[in-house]
Every structure is written in structure tokens, then in C-alpha cells.
Amino acid sequence: MTLTIIAFLMTTHYTSAIANPESNDLKPVTVHDPSAQPTTPPNVEPLIEVLMQTRKSASCIVTLSVDIQGIPFDLTAKCDFAEYEPAAIEAMQSARFAPKFIYKTPVIRVGVEYPIELKM
């Protein structure tokens, strides 16, 4: 038996709503950034455990937001098999992203999509 886990990022468009850079407002700006790439990859151990139990290949899309420190939050997963979804969320909670700045203002990224392929 060969176990292969492939994780990759989708390359999609980037759109943003940027606040006035001259503003003294301390609230972070929110941008839609579906192709944000992690600097620390997800911990795949939860996914390997489920893969070994189910012995089914699967595809998942984890959608998340990233705060101004690069920590993911508001994670949801949609997988071919529902039993993978909690493991996909748990795996992505350990990922970290480089903080993003626009006009020296920290931004919160929303709509980040992280596809995961699990193959037996």
C-alpha cells in the first residue's frame, strides 16, 4: 500500500477592499485573498489517521480566514467523504501564514481556499 497526501494551493484572482491609507483607524482592513500560501504547512497527521481508517482517497477544500498575525480562523471543510472534514480542519489549524500588509496596514484575509488531495 502506498500512502500519498498532496496539498496544493489554488491560483485564483485577487480582489480587495482597501481602506484609506491615510486613515488613523486602527481596525485591520479585510481583503479577499483565496490564494494565500502558508509559511508553516498544515499538520497532516489527523488526515493520515482518517485515511488509514477509511482506506478511501478523497479531495477536500478548506476555506478559512487569516488574522493579522497569520493564524487561521473560521475554518470550514468540504470533502468527498464527510469523515475527513474534522481532520482537514484540525490539520489546517496548525498552518501559519505570513502577515499581509497593504499600505503598511495589517490586513485580515478572508476566503482563503486550501485544497487537499488524499490518495491511497
Side-chain angles (χ1 to χ4, degrees), residues 16-36:
S16 64
I18 301 171
N20 180 353
E22 302 301 319
S23 171
N24 289 327
D25 187 3
L26 296 178
K27 293 181 183 178
V29 174
T30 300
V31 297
H32 181 73
D33 190 3
S35 61

Side-chain angles (χ1 to χ4, degrees), residues 10-118:
M10 296 173 66
T11 310
T12 56
H13 68 283
Y14 172 83
T15 59
S16 64
I18 301 171
N20 180 353
E22 302 301 319
S23 171
N24 289 327
D25 187 3
L26 296 178
K27 293 181 183 178
V29 174
T30 300
V31 297
H32 181 73
D33 190 3
S35 61
Q37 298 184 19
T39 55
T40 301
N43 173 12
V44 297
E45 290 301 318
L47 293 164
I48 292 171
E49 289 176 19
V50 176
L51 185 61
M52 298 306 289
Q53 292 170 1
T54 64
R55 302 210 180 276
K56 298 176 188 173
S57 296
S59 295
C60 300
I61 300 282
V62 180
T63 304
L64 57 110
S65 298
V66 179
D67 71 13
I68 60 174
Q69 287 85 30
I71 299 171
F73 68 99
D74 287 343
L75 295 95
T76 60
K78 182 65 178 153
C79 301
D80 295 340
F81 300 102
E83 55 263 68
Y84 282 105
E85 292 171 0
I89 290 170
E90 183 180 348
M92 286 307 299
Q93 286 174 330
S94 65
R96 294 296 178 260
F97 297 79
K100 184 174 186 89
F101 297 88
I102 297 178
Y103 298 116
K104 298 181 183 179
T105 301
V107 298
I108 295 172
R109 288 172 277 188
V110 298
V112 176
E113 296 177 344
Y114 194 90
I116 300 172
E117 293 288 327
L118 300 138

